[in-house]
Amino acid sequence: PHFYIALTKAKSIPGDKIVAGPAYIVLEDVPLPIGIPFGFFPSTRTSQSGVLIPTYGEEERRGFYLRDGGFYFSLSDYFDLAVTGDIYTNGTWGVRTRSNYKVNYKFNGSFGLNYMENVVGEKGLENYSKSRDVAIRWTHAQAQQANPNQSFRASVDFTTSSYDQNISHNINNVLRSTKRSSVSYSRMFPNAPFNLSASMSATQNSQTKL
C-alpha cells in the first residue's frame, strides 16, 4: 500500500487485538510527523450481530418518525441479513430486508425486499389515501475463475410505480422515471461449433405505469 502506520512497539494477539506503543504514519515511504502515543486495534475475523439504532425526525406529510431501526444478523462467513423498519405517527410503516452474500472466487451479490404501507392525510378527510409499495432488488455476479466457460449475471430493480415518490429519500431516485432489470446467462462449449446465450430484461416507467 502507498501508506501505512508504523508501530515502534506492539503486541499482537491473533484473532483478538493488537496493542501498540508510539506509532506514526508513513506516506509513500516518507515518515510524517503525525503520530499517536498508543493504539488499540481489534483483529477479529468474525462479524457480530447487533441492534441497528434508528434515526428520528419529522416530515410534513407523515409526522414524526423512527427510521431504519432493526437488527443485523451475522449468519455466517458467506452471507448476512439486516431487517429494519420505519414507523410514522400518521400510521405509515414499513419493513426492509437486505442480505449480502459472497463466496470467494465463485460469486457474490445482494438481495433486498422492501414493503411499505404509506398513509397520506387524515382518516375521514377527502385527502386521505393509503397505498402499498413494494421493491425487489437483486444483484448477482459470477467470478470469472469459477467457470471460465460459463457466466451468470443479474441486475434486478423492480418497484411499484409510486415507490420512489413515496419512500425514497434520494432526490435522484425520485426524479428517475425509468428502471431497467436484466438477467443473463451464457455458456461456451469447448471443442463444439456452438455457444449458448440467454437473457431476460424488463423496463418500467413510473409515470406511465407501463
Side-chain angles (χ1 to χ4, degrees):
H2 64 282
F3 73 93
Y4 60 90
I5 298 176
L7 309 178
T8 58
K9 179 184 288 187
K11 180 178 181 179
S12 175
I13 304 175
D16 188 10
K17 57 183 173 287
I18 298 174
V19 181
Y24 56 91
I25 296 176
V26 179
L27 179 63
E28 295 290 357
D29 294 328
V30 178
L32 300 180
I34 302 175
I36 55 175
F38 60 89
F40 177 86
F41 308 95
S43 182
T44 59
R45 293 181 175 269
T46 59
S47 57
Q48 298 290 326
S49 301
V51 175
L52 300 175
I53 304 299
T55 59
Y56 62 90
E58 182 183 9
E59 284 188 6
E60 183 178 354
R61 293 188 308 159
R62 295 180 286 194
F64 295 98
Y65 64 78
L66 290 174
R67 210 155 56 196
D68 296 326
F71 204 85
Y72 172 79
F73 300 91
S74 177
L75 300 176
S76 75
D77 293 336
Y78 305 107
F79 68 100
D80 62 5
L81 174 66
V83 180
T84 59
D86 301 347
I87 186 169
Y88 295 77
T89 53
N90 78 329
T92 298
W93 64 275
V95 178
R96 297 185 184 90
T97 62
R98 180 175 177 84
S99 177
N100 299 293
Y101 57 89
K102 180 177 182 179
V103 178
N104 287 336
Y105 313 114
K106 290 188 177 181
F107 57 81
N108 68 86
S110 64
F111 179 81
L113 176 63
N114 303 342
Y115 175 82
M116 196 83 173
E117 283 207 0
N118 189 63
V119 178
V120 177
E122 296 291 336
K123 193 170 185 178
L125 299 180
E126 294 183 357
N127 65 340
Y128 178 81
S129 66
K130 187 176 181 179
S131 61
R132 294 180 176 88
D133 290 303
V134 177
I136 299 174
R137 294 187 171 98
W138 176 39
T139 61
H140 181 90
Q142 178 182 308
Q144 185 176 6
Q145 58 266 46
N147 190 338
N149 298 319
Q150 178 179 285
S151 176
F152 177 74
R153 292 184 176 274
S155 178
V156 176
D157 185 6
F158 176 83
T159 66
T160 50
S161 59
S162 60
Y163 182 87
D164 286 330
Q165 286 73 21
N166 290 334
I167 309 303
S168 180
H169 310 296
N170 186 319
I171 188 62
N172 294 323
N173 292 340
V174 174
L175 297 175
R176 183 181 58 171
S177 60
T178 303
K179 293 186 178 71
R180 294 180 173 86
S181 302
S182 64
V183 178
S184 62
Y185 173 81
S186 63
R187 177 69 185 268
M188 294 187 299
F189 298 92
N191 305 320
F194 59 87
N195 298 325
L196 172 65
S197 179
S199 64
M200 296 183 294
S201 63
T203 301
Q204 289 180 270
N205 191 304
S206 59
Q207 295 180 351
T208 62
K209 299 183 180 181
L210 297 176

